[in-house]
Amino acid sequence: MTETVDPTRWVCPRPLRDHSAVMLGHGGGGVLSGELVEHLFLPAFAAAPDDARMPAGALADSAVLEVGGVRLAFSTDSYVVRPLFFPGGSIGELAVHGTINDLACSGAVPVALSAGFILEEGLDLEVLGRVAEAMGRAAARAGVRLVTGDTKVVERGLADGLYVNTSGIGVVPPGVDIRPERARPGDRVLVSGPIGEHGVAVLSVRENLEFGGDVRSDTAALHGMVAAMLAAAPGGVHALRDPTRGGLATTLCEIAAASGTGVEFTESAVPVPPVVEAACAFLGLDPLHVANEGKIVAFVAPDEADAALAAMRAHPAGHEAAIIGTVTADHPGLVVARTAFGTTRVVDRPLGEQLPRIC
Amino acid sequence: MTETVDPTRWVCPRPLRDHSAVMLGHGGGGVLSGELVEHLFLPAFAAAPDDARMPAGALADSAVLEVGGVRLAFSTDSYVVRPLFFPGGSIGELAVHGTINDLACSGAVPVALSAGFILEEGLDLEVLGRVAEAMGRAAARAGVRLVTGDTKVVERGLADGLYVNTSGIGVVPPGVDIRPERARPGDRVLVSGPIGEHGVAVLSVRENLEFGGDVRSDTAALHGMVAAMLAAAPGGVHALRDPTRGGLATTLCEIAAASGTGVEFTESAVPVPPVVEAACAFLGLDPLHVANEGKIVAFVAPDEADAALAAMRAHPAGHEAAIIGTVTADHPGLVVARTAFGTTRVVDRPLGEQLPRIC
């Protein structure tokens, strides 16, 4: 790709690692992704992370901004998963549920979604039709409307069938203030169910592997679960995030970093399905790094943690929810796991892309 | 691309033309694009065009919906222009201005934008940096914030450098009701300046052509112009649209169809720069079909048309605004041009893609 650019040398406002080109890892949700956002996008968009005018969560999951007296959550995600269809769903469900969940993690009630398609010339219209229908069904089930859209077509070979962006808006109810920064020492860390299913399901079809068990993507809309938690534990829900790219480990690290706290959790308390464990052992992956598309991690005040857990478990997608750990004032920014051997280990974000194009 | 889909045969809810695969023309903003929206997306999203719950303009430019007592405009557009940089701008300015203009065409005051990048592995980070900076500058100039974002990376060869989606939200002031359906007989048709510059500028670098003159993209944010028109002609502005893909002809045809009226205009009244005329003659294009990225077409009540025209002309991007025609009750849905020879001809939308990847 040759591009004519301004002949003056461009310099990244904050130096990036030793590389000059985009790598797959820049899309992995890990360290490289974070660096791209903080060193390149934020300065370019003239809104440094310490800019007080920057809405909470800006350039991360969803931004919350006051518009005409209403607190709106606004979020965007592009979906490039390969293949387009996998056990348990398709890019269509992912695109609807993923953006709904980003809104829900601000405590918002999702209202409307947009859909922006980039299609590859030659794509079978049947494939497009099935994806669009999956989106329509997922939105209807979630009670959210697809209200505006756009379609672009690029020449054969310049996309991979189809990519789709969904953006979403939701309303944050009065009094609700859920942000990664709000996690505090003493909070309990909850996860809404077994981890790793989405990543392993996609890999199983992509690599044509059998893992000795049925594994399906957990893709699901979780705004109902969040609403139930907020009703059950009013004021106690401090931070929420859906552990997608980069998995549970990345989510815990991000919230520890954002809130300046430490996180301690017990490995054996994290629900990992046997098939995910087997697949990860076979592929050399850490289940804590594998993407989920229908789970929520919650940081909840200790006296309301049981009520929030009960609300999670009462939701169809949360039967196996568990309390896995605690927030501590020790080791700010660090996430520490207690292993089955009674030792501890530091849990880190993956550097780049463990599983490219997982969502 | 091979995909595993449900083995039952998929049938498009409303038959498409004789083709089973996506063609470049499906992204051209013309007849094929419209068919894809009406026959495939709308039924799939379970919101037929005659569905009263469907917000005005849904799946077209921007949707207007009431959220918590505020009327919000919500719009999305993906940008795939090739090359990324061209005389007068880049994909960055286009992505910011384009979505702002879609919001403005609902009469909304734009508030915030999202940015969703799809990057090709191997893209020079300098290119990405320059595009992001162009977006930041364009947003700052327009007084609109980029508040949330997402980055995905696909393998080398599965994109063309970068694609970007912007979605936007804006507030529609009380009393403002601007929709294509509201054009009515007697309305004057205004265009805010010379047409065809964006398309010809992009083509000139893409095909390495010289057209005997300097031609630059007209990319510009026009929400200020719209606000001035609404102040100058309160209640008189019935319909607005930015004539991007498919050009002025497509915009006129779409508004005629949506409002069930006819449009008559005088060819010689349409401002066409000599360089655009020369380029179109050389390339066999109709200037009426060439994309613009900084123009607005307005349908205004006759007694307020002069005031609206004066407001357009007072704006830096509207000095050459002109009244080009009139809405008529005759020939509903048809657009008719009066030629320089005193004859008339029917003006139609292009079928598919005249200039692929122009925005």
Side-chain angles (χ1 to χ4, degrees), chain A residues 13 20 51 178 186 192 239 266 297 334:
Chain A
S20 61
D51 180 343
I178 297 175
S192 65
T266 305
V297 178
L334 267 197

PDB file of all heavy atoms in Angstrom, chain A residues 13 20 51 178 186 192 239 266 297 334:
ATOM      1  N   PRO A  13       3.066  11.112  18.833  1.00  0.00           N
ATOM      2  CA  PRO A  13       3.155  12.020  19.982  1.00  0.00           C
ATOM      3  C   PRO A  13       3.826  11.378  21.199  1.00  0.00           C
ATOM      4  O   PRO A  13       4.580  12.022  21.912  1.00  0.00           O
ATOM      5  CB  PRO A  13       1.692  12.349  20.271  1.00  0.00           C
ATOM      6  CG  PRO A  13       0.971  12.120  18.993  1.00  0.00           C
ATOM      7  CD  PRO A  13       1.703  11.013  18.297  1.00  0.00           C
ATOM      8  N   SER A  20       7.132   0.010  13.273  1.00  0.00           N
ATOM      9  CA  SER A  20       6.610   1.146  12.521  1.00  0.00           C
ATOM     10  C   SER A  20       5.357   0.776  11.745  1.00  0.00           C
ATOM     11  O   SER A  20       4.796   1.608  11.043  1.00  0.00           O
ATOM     12  CB  SER A  20       7.679   1.629  11.537  1.00  0.00           C
ATOM     13  OG  SER A  20       7.985   0.585  10.641  1.00  0.00           O
ATOM     14  N   ASP A  51      -7.331  14.259  30.637  1.00  0.00           N
ATOM     15  CA  ASP A  51      -8.168  15.409  30.311  1.00  0.00           C
ATOM     16  C   ASP A  51      -9.507  15.242  31.039  1.00  0.00           C
ATOM     17  O   ASP A  51     -10.234  14.294  30.828  1.00  0.00           O
ATOM     18  CB  ASP A  51      -8.379  15.428  28.789  1.00  0.00           C
ATOM     19  CG  ASP A  51      -9.232  16.596  28.344  1.00  0.00           C
ATOM     20  OD1 ASP A  51      -9.924  17.187  29.198  1.00  0.00           O
ATOM     21  OD2 ASP A  51      -9.199  16.910  27.156  1.00  0.00           O
ATOM     22  N   ILE A 178     -21.047   3.611  37.151  1.00  0.00           N
ATOM     23  CA  ILE A 178     -20.250   2.387  37.059  1.00  0.00           C
ATOM     24  C   ILE A 178     -19.081   2.656  36.126  1.00  0.00           C
ATOM     25  O   ILE A 178     -19.270   2.959  34.948  1.00  0.00           O
ATOM     26  CB  ILE A 178     -21.117   1.219  36.546  1.00  0.00           C
ATOM     27  CG1 ILE A 178     -22.236   0.957  37.551  1.00  0.00           C
ATOM     28  CG2 ILE A 178     -20.267  -0.024  36.336  1.00  0.00           C
ATOM     29  CD1 ILE A 178     -23.218  -0.085  37.118  1.00  0.00           C
ATOM     30  N   GLY A 186     -11.549  -4.048  49.154  1.00  0.00           N
ATOM     31  CA  GLY A 186     -12.663  -4.708  49.829  1.00  0.00           C
ATOM     32  C   GLY A 186     -13.700  -5.246  48.863  1.00  0.00           C
ATOM     33  O   GLY A 186     -14.401  -6.213  49.165  1.00  0.00           O
ATOM     34  N   SER A 192     -19.603 -13.951  35.830  1.00  0.00           N
ATOM     35  CA  SER A 192     -20.987 -14.424  35.685  1.00  0.00           C
ATOM     36  C   SER A 192     -21.111 -15.849  35.156  1.00  0.00           C
ATOM     37  O   SER A 192     -22.229 -16.331  34.971  1.00  0.00           O
ATOM     38  CB  SER A 192     -21.772 -13.460  34.795  1.00  0.00           C
ATOM     39  OG  SER A 192     -21.262 -13.470  33.483  1.00  0.00           O
ATOM     40  N   ALA A 239     -17.848  -1.431  39.354  1.00  0.00           N
ATOM     41  CA  ALA A 239     -17.251  -1.545  38.020  1.00  0.00           C
ATOM     42  C   ALA A 239     -17.742  -2.816  37.352  1.00  0.00           C
ATOM     43  O   ALA A 239     -17.958  -3.838  38.015  1.00  0.00           O
ATOM     44  CB  ALA A 239     -15.723  -1.558  38.117  1.00  0.00           C
ATOM     45  N   THR A 266      -8.646 -16.459  43.355  1.00  0.00           N
ATOM     46  CA  THR A 266      -8.291 -17.868  43.528  1.00  0.00           C
ATOM     47  C   THR A 266      -8.534 -18.600  42.213  1.00  0.00           C
ATOM     48  O   THR A 266      -9.673 -18.629  41.734  1.00  0.00           O
ATOM     49  CB  THR A 266      -9.160 -18.488  44.641  1.00  0.00           C
ATOM     50  OG1 THR A 266      -9.000 -17.684  45.816  1.00  0.00           O
ATOM     51  CG2 THR A 266      -8.746 -19.916  44.929  1.00  0.00           C
ATOM     52  N   VAL A 297     -17.704  -9.380  34.307  1.00  0.00           N
ATOM     53  CA  VAL A 297     -16.921  -9.327  35.535  1.00  0.00           C
ATOM     54  C   VAL A 297     -17.402  -8.106  36.313  1.00  0.00           C
ATOM     55  O   VAL A 297     -17.519  -7.017  35.734  1.00  0.00           O
ATOM     56  CB  VAL A 297     -15.416  -9.203  35.219  1.00  0.00           C
ATOM     57  CG1 VAL A 297     -14.613  -9.111  36.509  1.00  0.00           C
ATOM     58  CG2 VAL A 297     -14.950 -10.383  34.378  1.00  0.00           C
ATOM     59  N   LEU A 334      -1.594  -4.388  40.291  1.00  0.00           N
ATOM     60  CA  LEU A 334      -1.184  -5.786  40.042  1.00  0.00           C
ATOM     61  C   LEU A 334      -2.344  -6.753  40.290  1.00  0.00           C
ATOM     62  O   LEU A 334      -3.126  -6.582  41.225  1.00  0.00           O
ATOM     63  CB  LEU A 334      -0.046  -6.181  40.978  1.00  0.00           C
ATOM     64  CG  LEU A 334       1.399  -6.026  40.515  1.00  0.00           C
ATOM     65  CD1 LEU A 334       2.313  -6.864  41.413  1.00  0.00           C
ATOM     66  CD2 LEU A 334       1.567  -6.465  39.056  1.00  0.00           C
TER      67      LEU A 334
END
